[in-house]
Structures are given as C-alpha cells and as structure tokens.
C-alpha cells in the first residue's frame, strides 16, 4: 500500500513539475516587424543580439515607406509591430483602431539633410542656397506615402522652392531609393535623413534642415492589434525604448 501511494505521489509530482516547466518556457514567436526603410541598417544590426537574448523569438523585417506599410496592414497584411517614420501614419493607424491601446511610444527621432554625391563640387551649405536653375535632378521621397517626402515638401514650401523645383524632381518610393539616386549619380541633390547619409560612403551632407521648416521627425512604434504574439511584440518595443535600444539606434545616426 505504501509503495502504491509513493508511486502515485511521484507520478502526480512529475506531472506538476512538467507543467511548471512548460509554463516557464519563453514564448516561441516569429515576429514580423513592419519598419520604415530608414531603420534598415540599425534593426538588422541588433537582430542577432536580440534573438540571442530572447530565446524562441525570431525577427523578420518588412522594410518600406511608412505610408505603404500602414496601408498593407490595413488591408490585412500580417504584422506584429509597426515602426513608423512619422506620427501621421501612426495616427491614421490609431484612428482606425489597428494598433493595441497603450502600446504606442516614440522610440527615436531624426534630422532632415540635403545630400550630394561625395565627388560633387557643390558649394551649397544651406537649403536656402538651392538654386533650381543649377539643378538638373533633385531626388525626394513621394510626399503622399513617404514621410521623408512630406518633410521635404514642407521644408521646400517654407523656402518657396517646391514649385520652382517641380520639373527637376525625381520621386523615390522610400528614403533608401532617394539615397540610391544620389549615390548612383542619377540626381544632383537629394533629401534624406541624417541616419541614411550616416551609413553611406558615397554621399556627403551639404546642409541640415531647420526643424521649424517641417513637422517634428519622430518615430513612433506600436503593437499591431491583429498580432498573434502581442506579448513578444511588446517586449521588442520595450527593447527599442531601453538604454540598449537607444544606444543601438544612435550608433546608426539616429537622435
């Protein structure tokens, strides 16, 4: 009888321990991060470190313009985290109840810069010095869907340069395409974020935009409401706003 009770107790204890062990295992999740193109280098750099420190979590990125990423999520594209390069696109997501309440947070910021190819002999040192007559091709982001394009348009409108430059504009589908146009010599000038110029060895910064010329360049992040892994998604956002996350972004030119 004693042997039977001991065996039964051992079996019950084993089941209990197994259950506790399973409950303590980290959540296994493949997180799909929809992120602004300007975050490409910084996020890819922290990828392996983050996965090593978060057992069972795999990060997959979908980079593009914030406007197009938001539209894709609205149309049902799978995503766990949305990292936008503008408040406007995140505001639209919030208004449409596509992000989890309380998950939104600004995690970094940026600066708008005027660039030219590294071999350019341009002597421009201010956006105010841009002379449309001296420019053949000017690369900018598409204002309707690319945040850097909206900031650029606001800046050039403030300086009464948007209309005079219309015939010179070369539109990019995201900020990295704008950067590529200048790197390849397909545009005399371009406007990107300082973080994009920071990672390129083929362009030089001619000038920084005055922050008063455009809306604040902040990067809000949020957990997508349809996420299958909301807790793991929130953990990733918490990392971006932590001291480690901020340092990782600063190393790639973010503010």
């Amino acid at each position: 009888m004693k042997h039977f009770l001991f065996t039964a107790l051992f079996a019950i204890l084993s089941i209990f321990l197994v259950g506790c062990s399973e409950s303590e295992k980290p959540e296994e999740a493949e997180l799909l991060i929809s992120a602004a193109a300007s975050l490409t280098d910084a996020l890819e750099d922290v990828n392996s470190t983050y996965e090593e420190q978060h057992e069972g979590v795999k990060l997959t990125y979908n980079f593009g313009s914030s406007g197009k990423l938001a539209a894709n999520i609205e149309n049902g594209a799978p995503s766990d985290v949305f990292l936008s390069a503008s408040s406007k696109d995140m505001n639209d997501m919030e208004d449409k109840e596509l992000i989890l309440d309380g998950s939104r947070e600004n995690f970094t910021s940026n600066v708008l810069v005027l660039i030219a190819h590294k071999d350019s002999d341009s002597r421009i040192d201010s956006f105010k010095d841009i002379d449309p007559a001296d420019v053949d091709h000017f690369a900018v982001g598409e204002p309707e869907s690319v945040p850097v394009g909206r900031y650029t348009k606001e800046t050039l409108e403030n300086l009464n340069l948007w209309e005079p430059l219309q015939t010179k504009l070369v539109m990019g589908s995201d900020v990295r395409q704008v950067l590529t146009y200048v790197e390849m010599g397909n545009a005399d000038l371009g406007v990107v974020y300082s973080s994009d110029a920071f990672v390129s060895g083929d362009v030089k910064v001619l000038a920084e935009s005055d922050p008063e010329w455009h809306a604040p360049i902040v990067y809000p992040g949020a957990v997508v409401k349809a996420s299958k892994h909301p807790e793991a998604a929130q953990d990733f956002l918490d990392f971006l706003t932590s001291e480690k996350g901020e340092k990782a972004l600063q190393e790639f030119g973010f503010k």
Side-chain angles (χ1 to χ4, degrees):
M1 183 67 177
K2 290 182 178 180
H3 178 72
F4 173 78
L5 291 175
F6 177 79
T7 302
L9 180 61
F10 180 79
I12 294 172
L13 182 60
S14 297
I15 294 172
F16 175 76
L17 290 175
V18 170
C20 289
S21 176
E22 290 181 349
S23 65
E24 291 172 359
K25 286 182 180 179
E27 178 185 1
E28 293 189 0
E30 180 176 356
L31 293 181
L32 181 57
I33 315 296
S34 298
S38 52
L39 292 164
T40 301
D41 297 276
L43 292 183
E44 288 182 342
D45 185 69
V46 305
N47 191 81
S48 59
T49 301
Y50 185 85
E51 290 182 350
E52 288 174 2
Q53 297 176 354
H54 295 78
E55 184 181 349
V57 177
K58 176 178 174 55
L59 303 178
T60 300
Y61 298 111
N62 178 24
F63 295 109
S65 70
S66 299
K68 291 180 180 177
L69 292 173
N72 289 341
I73 294 172
E74 182 181 358
N75 291 328
S79 184
D80 296 291
V81 177
F82 177 45
L83 303 177
S84 175
S86 78
S87 296
K88 177 184 182 301
D89 295 299
M90 189 63 80
N91 291 342
D92 292 342
M93 293 277 286
E94 194 165 22
D95 292 341
K96 295 171 183 176
E97 299 183 348
L98 295 173
I99 61 175
L100 283 183
D101 292 340
S103 68
R104 176 177 177 172
E105 189 166 359
N106 294 337
F107 61 92
T108 195
S109 61
N110 224 323
V111 175
L112 203 66
V113 295
L114 179 68
I115 61 171
H117 191 273
K118 65 178 182 179
D119 296 329
S120 170
D121 58 1
S122 175
R123 296 183 179 181
I124 294 175
D125 59 11
S126 169
F127 276 74
K128 294 179 179 179
D129 295 336
I130 298 172
D131 184 351
D134 294 336
V135 180
D136 290 324
H137 299 96
F138 194 114
V140 301
E142 166 56 55
E144 297 303 315
S145 60
V146 184
V148 74
R150 284 199 295 273
Y151 300 131
T152 301
K153 182 179 180 180
E154 291 172 10
T155 296
L156 296 178
E157 284 181 335
N158 265 298
L159 299 176
N160 297 314
L161 288 169
W162 181 251
E163 289 302 325
L165 283 167
Q166 282 303 294
T167 60
K168 312 297 181 71
L169 298 182
V170 180
M171 299 291 183
S173 60
D174 59 44
V175 69
R176 286 308 171 92
Q177 189 172 61
V178 175
L179 180 66
T180 299
Y181 283 145
V182 180
E183 288 176 327
M184 300 298 291
N186 296 323
D188 309 304
L189 302 172
V191 180
V192 298
Y193 299 122
S194 61
S195 59
D196 297 292
F198 181 84
V199 299
S200 174
D202 294 318
V203 303
K204 61 182 178 182
V205 174
L206 301 177
E208 287 190 3
S209 173
D210 188 324
E212 295 184 358
W213 294 339
H214 54 74
I217 304 176
V218 295
Y219 284 61
V223 177
V224 177
K225 198 169 188 177
S227 170
K228 295 181 179 179
H229 308 285
E231 292 184 7
Q234 185 62 58
D235 283 343
F236 179 73
L237 278 179
D238 292 342
F239 166 77
L240 288 182
T241 56
S242 70
E243 185 176 343
K244 286 184 178 180
E246 290 177 0
K247 183 178 180 180
L249 289 168
Q250 288 171 3
E251 288 178 353
F252 282 84
F254 289 89
K255 307 300 179 182

